[in-house]
DNA sequence: TCCTCCAACTGAACGTAGTTCAATTTAACG
DNA sequence: CGTTAAATTGAACTACGTTCAGTTGGAGGA
């Protein structure tokens, strides 16, 4: 019966991720507590540390889920988009914004997780980021066929970063915020202008 | 002699801000400790709380300094800039980036300070933000004379947010980072394209 | 100059975190 | 079913921000 332990561990692992995912969604990353997790999961406090190195490790697992959902949301909206490259970029930008708005706490957790000095993001993080980039890269390469590969990559990154910045400052700051209609419009304006 | 106390309080206040400013610059916001501050300032732990409501209050004072320095840095580079509006925008964008790169920890502290749920940023924060926006608003209004006032404001905000996003993801993520040359180029490309 | 009183200052103590580890429980195997 | 090693537990440890009862020291009057 080599496995009873592994099965239980695996179940607890999934359970902990599910519960942390819920709590982050409801209360935000800053309100996640190891003791709450243990209570909700019906396990000992120390059990968390049998499975994860530390809370950061657990949060990374939640962030992986969030990243997958984000990718899926963007892909779903993209599927219904017109086939003009520029419209696809607009749809993607707005899909990114809508996901961030509707999953604020989850989305923030992607970027709020403090990575200690000089530590690089985990590999899957870069991969998921790359997937998002590749969505942009396609339409952009059609719009800008004269750009070299390196410049195209820079441009792709710049476009993503720009939309990210608009969403971040638009949603996040209590700086009087920007109404949803306006944010959608800002994103569309930016992308149309940048892709022209 | 109505004043000996006030003088000491004021001196300690300035001293604490100076020390917190240094520590944030050297070790980052996340490594700021009340006990370290007290030790460095040669005061009691509780003394900090006679002067500031809490550490957040002190950090806000440091951030106010940082914001002033940021504004001054942008203004200084702007003073040497060509008079073409588009070049001024490029210079400002790159000045923002250079400030962020050279004062990474200070710059991050501006945005990393956790504001508890629904709390709005302090007034001076919005004012300084407004000052940065007004730098952009001028040249942009020359470049886009046909835009309405509201759209111009949206565009101004979008432009700032875009540069902010590029700097944030370019500097911050350990995502293989973007070389300085490339970031300068990305910012210039974006601004030229967006202002066209 | 000295005394008195009250505001200001002090730092030990408190509450709340994440994390650890000695003691206990439990699963795997002969 | 007994033995043993690994897994699990939760009280304890450490490290924070913050508080507050006790003490100190300054300002005004005698």
């Amino acid at each position: 019966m080599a496995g009873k332990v592994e099965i239980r561990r695996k179940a607890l692992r999934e359970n902990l991720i599910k519960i942390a995912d819920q709590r982050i969604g409801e209360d935000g990353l800053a309100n996640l507590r190891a003791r709450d997790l243990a209570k909700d999961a019906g396990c000992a406090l120390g059990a968390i540390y049998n499975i994860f190195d530390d809370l950061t490790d657990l949060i990374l697992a939640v962030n992986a889920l969030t990243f997958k959902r984000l990718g899926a949301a963007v892909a779903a909206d993209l599927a219904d988009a017109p086939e003009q490259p520029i419209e696809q970029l607009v749809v993607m930008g707005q899909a990114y914004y809508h996901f961030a708005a509707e999953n604020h706490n989850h989305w923030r957790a992607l970027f709020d997780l403090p990575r200690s000095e000089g530590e690089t993001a985990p590999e899957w993080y870069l991969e998921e980021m790359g997937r998002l980039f590749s969505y942009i890269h396609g339409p952009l390469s059609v719009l800008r066929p004269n750009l070299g590969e390196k410049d195209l990559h820079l441009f792709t990154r710049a476009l993503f970063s720009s939309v990210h910045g608009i969403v971040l400052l638009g949603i996040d700051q209590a700086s009087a915020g920007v109404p949803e209609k306006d944010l959608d419009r800002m994103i569309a304006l930016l992308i149309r202008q940048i892709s022209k």
Side-chain angles (χ1 to χ4, degrees), chain A residues 149-164:
Chain A
E149 193 57 25
K150 196 196 157 200
D151 274 7
L152 196 56
H153 273 104
L154 278 185
F155 221 96
T156 299
R157 196 187 181 98
L159 189 49
F160 176 84
S161 301
S162 297
V163 172
H164 179 75

Side-chain angles (χ1 to χ4, degrees), chain A residues 115-132:
Chain A
R115 275 188 302 288
S116 54
E117 202 68 39
E119 194 178 358
T120 78
E123 204 199 338
W124 61 260
Y125 183 99
L126 298 179
E127 276 172 23
E128 288 294 334
M129 209 71 174
R131 194 183 318 280
L132 287 181

Side-chain angles (χ1 to χ4, degrees), chain A residues 63-81:
Chain A
N63 280 353
L65 287 183
T66 302
F67 240 130
K68 286 215 183 315
R69 285 190 205 118
L70 169 59
V74 171
D77 281 15
L78 189 56
D80 301 335

Side-chain angles (χ1 to χ4, degrees), chain A residues 16-25 62 65-66 69 106:
Chain A
L16 280 171
I17 293 175
K18 198 182 78 186
I19 290 168
D21 187 57
Q22 264 175 7
R23 283 203 95 95
I24 288 177
V62 173
L65 287 183
T66 302
R69 285 190 205 118
H106 277 122

